[in-house]
Each structure stands twice: as structure tokens, then as C-alpha cells.
Amino acid sequence: MKKPGTAPPSTAGREQQAGRERRPSASIRRAQDQKIGPDETEIARIILENLSDGLWVANRNDIIVYINGIMAEIAGTKRERIIGASVINGFSEETLGDFRVSYMKAKESLIPVDYEAQVVTPAGRRTWQAGRIIPIVRDSLFDGMITTVKDITAAKLSEENRQALAAI
């Protein structure tokens, strides 16, 4: 309770501190210094960026929100050109045609789907791609998609050549 004739407590110090970042306590700093290795977020980033397959993630509105470096290489373009695009209609029909069928099957069933599709990359290269489309499900509802991508073009061409030679 305020005593009569006294001024209210000053808020100047709190206002100055509001603009500054609080330093962790000494015990928290010691724990951070003793931590061995990266945190979970850093571990996930390292794994995603070092996979041998491409990987992309779409949100519940089918908008691509992440692609790893290998996916950018497979697509033949920069990540920025793909992130923000719609999986449903953000690319040419040559790019989405065969793949979209598998994507919609996984989205509607909420069950992972393996796919193999002929795809024209955003860079214009004709490829065969294969992977897994994995729905993210929360509270029994679709909440996004994780898709792995492997460029299997060389293997497909080799198989076609082998079959052509066998037919001779």
C-alpha cells in the first residue's frame, strides 16, 4: 500500500531493461557451457541438409515451406524459387501431372504413399523421380506433407536401354 506523501515507484529502470535482452542466470550459463553437442533444432537441420535424397515440406495449405539443398539441386533452381509455391498448382502441368495424383492420394487417405513419376523440373530438365509422400496428421486432420525425392532418371534410362537391347 502507498504511504501518504510518497511518490510512486520509478519505472525508469524497468523501461530501460525492456529494451535489453535479459542475460541468463549464472546456473543457466554454466549448464549451457557444459552442454555437449548441438540442440535438437540444430540436429534436425544437420540431418535434413545432409540427406542423400531431396526433401521438401508443405503446410496444411499445400504451400512449400522448406526444401533441403539436395532438393534444390534436383530441381535445378534456388530454394527461393520453390519455397512459397503451391504443390497443387504452383508449377507447370509437366512438373505436377503424374506426381499430383500420388500427392492427393496421400493427402486424402492420411497414409504415406510411395511414388514414381516423370517430372519436368522447374529448370526444364525431364526426370524420373521417386520417393515417399508422408502426411503430417494432427488431431486426425491433414496438417501438411513431407516428401522425399530421389532422381532415378539414370536408372530408368539404363533399364529402358537394357529392355531395348533385349528385344533385339
Side-chain angles (χ1 to χ4, degrees):
M1 180 184 277
K2 183 180 156 198
K3 294 181 184 175
T6 61
S10 171
T11 59
R14 280 182 270 165
E15 289 170 358
Q16 287 174 347
Q17 281 186 339
R20 276 190 256 144
E21 187 176 321
R22 284 186 74 182
R23 287 181 45 139
S25 69
S27 62
I28 291 174
R29 284 194 311 271
R30 271 194 308 278
Q32 289 171 339
D33 290 342
Q34 293 173 0
K35 184 180 91 174
I36 298 173
D39 64 15
E40 289 177 1
T41 302
E42 182 66 9
I43 291 168
R45 189 193 67 72
I46 291 167
I47 291 169
L48 292 173
E49 289 302 321
N50 288 285
L51 292 172
S52 59
D53 293 348
L55 183 131
W56 56 264
V57 179
N59 65 19
R60 70 174 57 111
N61 298 317
D62 305 303
I63 303 299
I64 298 172
V65 295
Y66 172 82
I67 71 167
N68 70 358
I70 297 297
M71 187 65 238
E73 288 177 27
I74 291 170
T77 191
K78 295 183 179 192
R79 294 177 198 222
E80 295 80 25
R81 185 162 175 228
I82 296 174
I83 293 174
S86 168
V87 178
I88 306 300
N89 58 17
F91 301 95
S92 71
E93 189 59 33
E94 290 179 309
T95 299
L96 293 174
D98 294 342
F99 173 79
R100 188 186 296 118
V101 173
S102 298
Y103 183 89
M104 294 309 294
K105 180 178 177 183
K107 183 177 179 177
E108 291 165 5
S109 70
L110 301 179
I111 297 171
V113 172
D114 293 323
Y115 73 95
E116 188 174 288
Q118 199 164 19
V119 174
V120 176
T121 68
R125 189 171 63 93
R126 292 194 175 282
T127 65
W128 277 95
Q129 296 177 6
R132 186 158 240 224
I133 305 167
I134 307 160
I136 300 167
V137 180
R138 288 209 175 95
D139 299 323
S140 301
L141 298 172
F142 176 77
D143 199 38
M145 198 77 79
I146 299 169
T147 302
T148 64
V149 180
K150 182 179 279 305
D151 186 338
I152 60 167
T153 306
K156 278 295 216 182
L157 293 175
S158 177
E159 181 183 322
E160 288 173 5
N161 288 338
R162 184 185 57 75
Q163 288 175 351
L165 288 172
I168 296 178

